[in-house]
Short mmCIF file of all heavy atoms in Angstrom, two decimals:
data_model
loop_
_atom_site.label_atom_id
_atom_site.label_comp_id
_atom_site.label_asym_id
_atom_site.label_seq_id
_atom_site.Cartn_x
_atom_site.Cartn_y
_atom_site.Cartn_z
N THR A 18 73.34 151.74 98.02
CA THR A 18 73.62 151.10 96.75
C THR A 18 73.32 149.62 96.88
O THR A 18 72.98 149.14 97.94
CB THR A 18 75.11 151.29 96.35
OG1 THR A 18 75.93 150.48 97.21
CG2 THR A 18 75.53 152.76 96.40
N ASP A 19 73.55 148.88 95.76
CA ASP A 19 73.33 147.43 95.85
C ASP A 19 74.65 146.66 95.99
O ASP A 19 74.65 145.44 95.76
CB ASP A 19 72.50 146.97 94.63
CG ASP A 19 73.16 147.30 93.30
OD1 ASP A 19 74.21 147.93 93.32
OD2 ASP A 19 72.60 146.93 92.25
N VAL A 20 75.71 147.39 96.32
CA VAL A 20 76.99 146.65 96.53
C VAL A 20 77.57 147.10 97.87
O VAL A 20 77.22 148.12 98.43
CB VAL A 20 77.97 147.02 95.38
CG1 VAL A 20 77.46 146.52 94.06
CG2 VAL A 20 78.28 148.53 95.32
N THR A 21 78.51 146.32 98.38
CA THR A 21 79.16 146.59 99.65
C THR A 21 80.15 147.70 99.51
O THR A 21 81.03 147.71 98.60
CB THR A 21 79.84 145.33 100.20
OG1 THR A 21 78.91 144.30 100.33
CG2 THR A 21 80.52 145.56 101.52
N ILE A 22 80.12 148.68 100.46
CA ILE A 22 81.14 149.69 100.58
C ILE A 22 82.25 149.14 101.43
O ILE A 22 81.98 148.68 102.53
CB ILE A 22 80.58 151.00 101.13
CG1 ILE A 22 79.56 151.62 100.20
CG2 ILE A 22 81.69 152.00 101.47
CD1 ILE A 22 78.83 152.86 100.73
N LEU A 23 83.53 149.21 100.97
CA LEU A 23 84.64 148.69 101.76
C LEU A 23 85.31 149.68 102.64
O LEU A 23 86.08 149.31 103.52
CB LEU A 23 85.66 148.07 100.78
CG LEU A 23 85.16 146.88 99.96
CD1 LEU A 23 86.30 146.43 99.03
CD2 LEU A 23 84.66 145.76 100.84
N ARG A 65 85.36 153.23 98.48
CA ARG A 65 85.73 151.96 97.80
C ARG A 65 84.64 150.97 97.83
O ARG A 65 83.97 150.89 98.89
CB ARG A 65 87.02 151.45 98.47
CG ARG A 65 88.28 152.27 98.29
CD ARG A 65 89.47 151.77 99.01
NE ARG A 65 89.37 152.09 100.44
CZ ARG A 65 89.17 151.25 101.45
NH1 ARG A 65 89.06 149.98 101.18
NH2 ARG A 65 89.08 151.66 102.66
N PHE A 66 84.42 150.29 96.78
CA PHE A 66 83.34 149.28 96.67
C PHE A 66 83.94 147.91 96.50
O PHE A 66 84.98 147.72 95.93
CB PHE A 66 82.46 149.58 95.42
CG PHE A 66 81.79 150.90 95.52
CD1 PHE A 66 82.25 151.98 94.87
CD2 PHE A 66 80.66 151.08 96.36
CE1 PHE A 66 81.63 153.21 94.91
CE2 PHE A 66 80.00 152.28 96.41
CZ PHE A 66 80.49 153.37 95.72
N ASP A 67 83.14 146.85 96.86
CA ASP A 67 83.49 145.50 96.65
C ASP A 67 83.46 145.07 95.21
O ASP A 67 84.30 144.35 94.69
CB ASP A 67 82.54 144.63 97.50
CG ASP A 67 82.83 143.13 97.32
OD1 ASP A 67 84.01 142.77 97.35
OD2 ASP A 67 81.86 142.37 97.15
N LYS A 68 82.47 145.63 94.48
CA LYS A 68 82.30 145.35 93.07
C LYS A 68 81.39 146.44 92.51
O LYS A 68 80.92 147.29 93.26
CB LYS A 68 81.69 143.98 92.83
CG LYS A 68 80.30 143.85 93.46
CD LYS A 68 79.71 142.47 93.29
CE LYS A 68 78.35 142.40 94.06
NZ LYS A 68 77.74 141.12 93.86
N TRP A 69 81.19 146.40 91.24
CA TRP A 69 80.18 147.34 90.63
C TRP A 69 79.66 146.58 89.40
O TRP A 69 80.41 146.17 88.57
CB TRP A 69 80.83 148.65 90.21
CG TRP A 69 79.83 149.68 90.00
CD1 TRP A 69 79.28 150.11 88.78
CD2 TRP A 69 79.14 150.47 90.97
NE1 TRP A 69 78.32 151.08 88.98
CE2 TRP A 69 78.21 151.36 90.32
CE3 TRP A 69 79.19 150.55 92.38
CZ2 TRP A 69 77.38 152.19 91.00
CZ3 TRP A 69 78.38 151.40 93.03
CH2 TRP A 69 77.47 152.22 92.33
N ASN A 70 78.35 146.38 89.34
CA ASN A 70 77.77 145.60 88.25
C ASN A 70 78.00 146.34 86.95
O ASN A 70 77.57 147.39 86.71
CB ASN A 70 76.27 145.43 88.45
CG ASN A 70 75.98 144.53 89.63
OD1 ASN A 70 76.81 143.71 89.99
ND2 ASN A 70 74.92 144.76 90.33
N GLY A 71 78.76 145.70 86.06
CA GLY A 71 78.98 146.31 84.78
C GLY A 71 80.22 145.67 84.12
O GLY A 71 80.66 144.59 84.52
N VAL A 90 83.93 152.07 84.95
CA VAL A 90 83.14 150.88 84.99
C VAL A 90 81.68 151.27 84.63
O VAL A 90 81.11 152.10 85.30
CB VAL A 90 83.20 150.27 86.36
CG1 VAL A 90 82.30 149.00 86.44
CG2 VAL A 90 84.57 149.86 86.78
N VAL A 102 82.29 155.72 88.44
CA VAL A 102 82.92 154.64 89.15
C VAL A 102 84.13 154.16 88.37
O VAL A 102 84.04 154.00 87.16
CB VAL A 102 81.92 153.48 89.43
CG1 VAL A 102 82.64 152.33 90.12
CG2 VAL A 102 80.75 153.95 90.24
N GLU A 104 87.84 151.70 88.17
CA GLU A 104 88.46 150.38 88.60
C GLU A 104 89.93 150.48 88.19
O GLU A 104 90.27 150.86 87.07
CB GLU A 104 87.80 149.22 87.81
CG GLU A 104 88.31 147.90 88.22
CD GLU A 104 87.46 146.73 87.77
OE1 GLU A 104 86.31 146.97 87.28
OE2 GLU A 104 87.86 145.57 87.95
N ILE A 118 87.79 149.23 93.20
CA ILE A 118 86.69 149.81 92.49
C ILE A 118 86.23 150.95 93.40
O ILE A 118 85.94 150.73 94.58
CB ILE A 118 85.56 148.80 92.23
CG1 ILE A 118 86.13 147.67 91.40
CG2 ILE A 118 84.38 149.44 91.59
CD1 ILE A 118 85.17 146.49 91.21
N TYR A 119 86.16 152.18 92.89
CA TYR A 119 85.94 153.33 93.73
C TYR A 119 85.33 154.49 92.99
O TYR A 119 85.19 154.46 91.78
CB TYR A 119 87.30 153.78 94.31
CG TYR A 119 88.22 154.37 93.26
CD1 TYR A 119 88.34 155.71 93.08
CD2 TYR A 119 88.96 153.53 92.46
CE1 TYR A 119 89.11 156.25 92.12
CE2 TYR A 119 89.79 154.06 91.49
CZ TYR A 119 89.87 155.38 91.32
OH TYR A 119 90.67 155.95 90.34
#
Side-chain angles (χ1 to χ4, degrees):
T18 71
D19 58 359
V20 298
T21 301
I22 293 173
L23 297 179
R65 292 176 283 110
F66 298 100
D67 178 44
K68 60 183 177 179
W69 197 261
N70 293 331
V90 176
V102 177
E104 182 166 353
I118 300 172
Y119 68 97

